[in-house]
Amino acid sequence: GENVEQHPSTLSVQEGDSAVIKCTYSDSASNYFPWYKQELGKGPQLIIDIRSNVGEKKDQRIAVTLNKTAKHFSLHITETQPEDSAVYFCAASISGYALNFGKGTSLLVTP
Amino acid sequence: DAMVIQNPRYQVTQFGKPVTLSCSQTLNHNVMYWYQQKSSQAPKLLFHYYDKDFNNEADTPDNFQSRRPNTSFCFLDIRSPGLGDAAMYLCATSGGTDPYEQYFGPGTRLTVT
């Protein structure tokens, strides 16, 4: 089955700096790659996603890049703010139904 | 606002005592999912419904069952909870404008005593 590796497990940045989280996947048939933000005690919130036919997607301060050849994708957050502090999960899916999640990255943005 | 609602938010049950968790949605999505998320771990898919078609993940224990009586509601039944079943249970839906996008509810935190 699909295996998703996510790094780093924890990330601390200063407010205003950029944060990058990287994921790799094993199944070349995967074609959908969402990123979720989860705050303490809440359900995951979809923040951005990308399909396998697109190399990059941007939404304000958040961007995701996908390298199909290398089977890795990354989340980039620019101009980080304290409210960006949360756990971020990447996921990969073949069908769009079964999301295989990475283990998560705990991001801390310090003022 | 259209949303995914889970009740209760916190549930305490005794070892071996059946428990039911509830999920409802106002998004009119045709797919509903149940995930289990243990502390500091990633969500793990238990099963999903595509309309009324039930799809069980291969490694989901038989102790977990689900019902979907209509489009809006889905239930997770744990027949005989063990201590290892203590977790956050997340309901999600998909089937909107972008059929791949899954929207999660706030979760139910289950404690087994």
Side-chain angles (χ1 to χ4, degrees):
Chain A
E2 174 66 278
N3 183 43
V4 179
E5 301 276 347
Q6 183 172 346
H7 298 280
S9 56
T10 60
L11 179 59
S12 183
V13 300
Q14 286 206 314
E15 182 177 1
D17 289 349
S18 294
V20 180
I21 302 170
K22 298 182 178 181
C23 289
T24 60
Y25 60 99
S26 60
D27 194 332
S28 56
S30 290
N31 60 2
Y32 176 63
F33 308 93
W35 286 89
Y36 285 85
K37 174 184 180 182
Q38 188 173 28
E39 296 174 328
L40 195 63
K42 296 183 178 181
Q45 177 191 3
L46 178 68
I47 56 172
I48 196 166
D49 57 12
I50 194 167
R51 299 289 200 283
S52 60
N53 59 347
V54 176
E56 183 174 1
K57 185 176 178 180
K58 190 174 181 180
D59 183 4
Q60 299 182 331
R61 296 186 296 111
I62 295 173
V64 56
T65 59
L66 171 65
N67 183 327
K68 283 195 302 182
T69 303
K71 289 191 279 188
H72 68 71
F73 56 113
S74 301
L75 177 71
H76 305 254
I77 306 174
T78 59
E79 301 172 20
T80 54
Q81 302 165 2
E83 50 265 40
D84 294 329
S85 298
V87 178
Y88 290 80
F89 290 98
C90 65
S93 173
I94 297 171
S95 64
Y97 298 125
L99 292 180
N100 296 284
F101 285 89
K103 292 190 174 182
T105 295
S106 180
L107 174 64
L108 177 65
V109 181
T110 54
Chain B
D1 285 344
M3 57 197 330
V4 181
I5 302 158
Q6 291 190 244
N7 286 305
R9 295 293 312 280
Y10 301 90
Q11 177 74 56
V12 181
T13 191
Q14 291 180 331
F15 182 94
K17 185 175 181 181
V19 66
T20 295
L21 308 182
S22 168
C23 177
S24 64
Q25 53 130 341
T26 61
L27 296 161
N28 203 32
H29 285 172
N30 60 339
V31 190
M32 295 187 77
Y33 310 78
W34 280 104
Y35 289 84
Q36 179 192 63
Q37 186 178 26
K38 295 189 175 180
S39 183
S40 300
Q41 294 185 22
K44 180 178 179 298
L45 182 64
L46 296 173
F47 25 60
H48 75 274
Y49 276 94
Y50 188 105
D51 291 325
K52 292 190 174 183
D53 293 334
F54 178 71
N55 298 272
N56 199 30
E57 292 301 296
D59 55 355
T60 298
D62 292 341
N63 198 26
F64 292 88
Q65 304 286 318
S66 185
R67 296 170 283 134
R68 188 179 186 187
N70 54 52
T71 301
S72 301
F73 284 86
C74 196
F75 300 97
L76 171 62
D77 301 309
I78 308 177
R79 293 193 294 187
S80 181
L83 298 179
D85 296 326
M88 175 80 88
Y89 289 88
L90 296 162
C91 175
T93 71
S94 70
T97 306
D98 185 329
Y100 278 24
E101 292 184 355
Q102 291 190 25
Y103 295 90
F104 283 80
T108 294
R109 172 75 64 188
L110 178 68
T111 300
V112 181
T113 60

